[in-house]
Amino acid sequence: MAEASKRNKASSWGLHSNYRYLCKKTMMIRAMESARARKTRQQKMTTAGWKRKRTDSKHEPLDTNELIKKTKPSDTEQESQNVSISENRSADGLKPDRHSLVTALRDSWEVDSGFSSEASPPASGRSSPCLGSCPTTVVALDCEMVGTGPGGRCSELARCSILDYHGNVLYDKYIRPCQPVTDFRTRWSGIRRHHLHNATPFAQAREEVLRILEGKVVVGHSIYNDFEALDMLHPGHMVRDTSTTRFLNRLAGFPRERCPSLKILANKLLNRRIQVGKRGHCPVEDAQAALDLYKLVEGEWEQELQNRLRDDDAPREPSFAASNHYMQDEYWPQDLVADSQ
């Protein structure tokens, strides 16, 4: 009897395993077929819409009377326009010429494109294509740290600066670390003892900074060190680290794997000398340099991110891992579950 029950359990477990495998295989095949059918249907709909647009534009009759009505103003409108033009000429004593028309068209192009016909510095305030957002969503961040603990080996935040897309200072405060400072690192941080006498407590400063950075694209150089000092996490697709992008390395002629310092990049690409002298670094100056470097390659950088996000949204063939939840007991027939237990 014992051998017979063991044999029955073994056979039921084998059937259970085979059934699970077949169901898993069937679900995968069905998912692949549905994805393929969905893709084919989308292609057909796109092709049909394109053909319909071509035929409509080819066979649509042009109503010449309607075109004349649209382009030619009525007599009363023409008279009122002539009267207003003559009044303006007599009042201002100016004659409209070709130069004024060209100037107006050039100004409108500059407003639309964001670029000026004259040479402008990188901080020109041109519109940001960042994921379809406006420049108000882009900020630059830089922090300075001091040393705490034995030998000043622990880094803690002592100053934080945030600029908007146009270089205006949104936040710039000295911050009092949680632990006593054992090394001010003045040569690099620019922090001295008197700067921290009435400094903002770390907890308060952190809340203020998080409030500013929420929902913003944050630009910085080796910015994850600043995030670590702030004890915060920021979404990866909302971070622009100028120390790791290949676009700046290519523009400067550096190898792709190199991580150049902010000082070197600013000198090479912006012709700007920063972090000089013995007074230490200025976070406002460093944030401005990182922001201007970002603007040099902003278009390429944002386009690459948009393409990457678009590729991530594309449908993929289903995997076994995606259908693992269907293998739970709740999806199986009750009698089969009872036999396997």
Side-chain angles (χ1 to χ4, degrees), residues 108-123:
S108 65
W109 178 84
E110 289 176 0
V111 170
D112 292 339
S113 65
F115 289 92
S116 173
S117 56
E118 300 176 357
S120 60

Side-chain angles (χ1 to χ4, degrees), residues 84-151:
S84 63
I85 290 172
S86 61
E87 288 177 356
N88 291 335
R89 285 183 184 176
S90 61
D92 299 335
L94 298 174
K95 294 181 179 180
D97 55 359
R98 182 175 176 274
H99 177 70
S100 62
L101 181 61
V102 171
T103 304
L105 290 174
R106 186 187 64 194
D107 293 342
S108 65
W109 178 84
E110 289 176 0
V111 170
D112 292 339
S113 65
F115 289 92
S116 173
S117 56
E118 300 176 357
S120 60
S124 58
R126 64 179 67 130
S127 58
S128 167
C130 159
L131 300 180
S133 61
C134 59
T136 55
T137 63
V138 179
V139 296
L141 170 71
D142 192 76
C143 297
E144 299 297 338
M145 275 71 82
V146 293
T148 61

Side-chain angles (χ1 to χ4, degrees), residues 51-284:
K51 288 182 179 178
R52 195 181 303 113
K53 285 183 181 178
R54 285 192 62 185
T55 53
D56 291 346
S57 61
K58 189 180 293 183
H59 300 294
E60 185 177 358
L62 291 174
D63 193 349
T64 55
N65 295 327
E66 193 171 326
L67 286 174
I68 292 172
K69 286 180 182 178
K70 287 182 178 178
T71 56
K72 187 175 181 180
S74 61
D75 295 336
T76 56
E77 292 176 353
Q78 188 68 32
E79 289 176 2
S80 63
Q81 289 178 2
N82 292 335
V83 171
S84 63
I85 290 172
S86 61
E87 288 177 356
N88 291 335
R89 285 183 184 176
S90 61
D92 299 335
L94 298 174
K95 294 181 179 180
D97 55 359
R98 182 175 176 274
H99 177 70
S100 62
L101 181 61
V102 171
T103 304
L105 290 174
R106 186 187 64 194
D107 293 342
S108 65
W109 178 84
E110 289 176 0
V111 170
D112 292 339
S113 65
F115 289 92
S116 173
S117 56
E118 300 176 357
S120 60
S124 58
R126 64 179 67 130
S127 58
S128 167
C130 159
L131 300 180
S133 61
C134 59
T136 55
T137 63
V138 179
V139 296
L141 170 71
D142 192 76
C143 297
E144 299 297 338
M145 275 71 82
V146 293
T148 61
R153 293 187 181 89
C154 298
S155 296
E156 290 200 39
L157 186 65
R159 185 179 176 185
C160 180
S161 300
I162 304 174
L163 310 183
D164 67 5
Y165 185 82
H166 305 290
N168 302 315
V169 178
L170 300 177
Y171 189 90
D172 183 25
K173 287 185 179 182
Y174 291 102
I175 298 166
R176 187 171 66 247
C178 299
Q179 302 297 326
V181 179
T182 54
D183 185 0
F184 286 93
R185 305 177 185 174
T186 306
R187 181 181 173 185
W188 298 277
S189 68
I191 305 295
R192 288 174 168 80
R193 188 180 301 275
H194 68 273
H195 290 144
L196 303 182
H197 284 168
N198 297 316
T200 306
F202 173 77
Q204 177 185 339
R206 181 176 178 274
E207 292 299 322
E208 295 170 351
V209 171
L210 289 178
R211 206 158 34 239
I212 295 175
L213 298 185
E214 186 178 2
K216 300 288 197 306
V217 173
V218 185
V219 179
H221 195 83
S222 299
I223 196 168
Y224 287 100
N225 295 329
D226 300 333
F227 289 155
E228 184 178 356
L230 285 163
D231 191 23
M232 64 167 288
L233 295 173
H234 202 68
H237 69 281
M238 304 284 281
V239 176
R240 307 290 182 268
D241 194 336
T242 55
S243 69
T244 58
T245 177
R246 61 187 176 87
F247 297 112
L248 288 174
N249 280 359
R250 185 180 64 190
L251 198 62
F254 297 147
R256 182 171 181 174
E257 63 276 3
R258 180 177 175 181
C259 294
S261 66
L262 182 63
K263 182 177 182 177
I264 292 175
L265 284 175
N267 189 29
K268 181 81 173 179
L269 299 178
L270 303 176
N271 195 23
R272 184 184 307 171
R273 297 181 69 229
I274 63 172
Q275 302 176 356
V276 294
K278 298 180 180 180
R279 302 183 62 182
H281 301 179
C282 174
V284 175

Side-chain angles (χ1 to χ4, degrees), residues 24 319-328 331:
K24 201 170 187 179
S319 63
F320 282 120
S323 57
N324 277 343
H325 63 285
Y326 288 113
M327 307 311 295
Q328 303 298 327
Y331 295 100

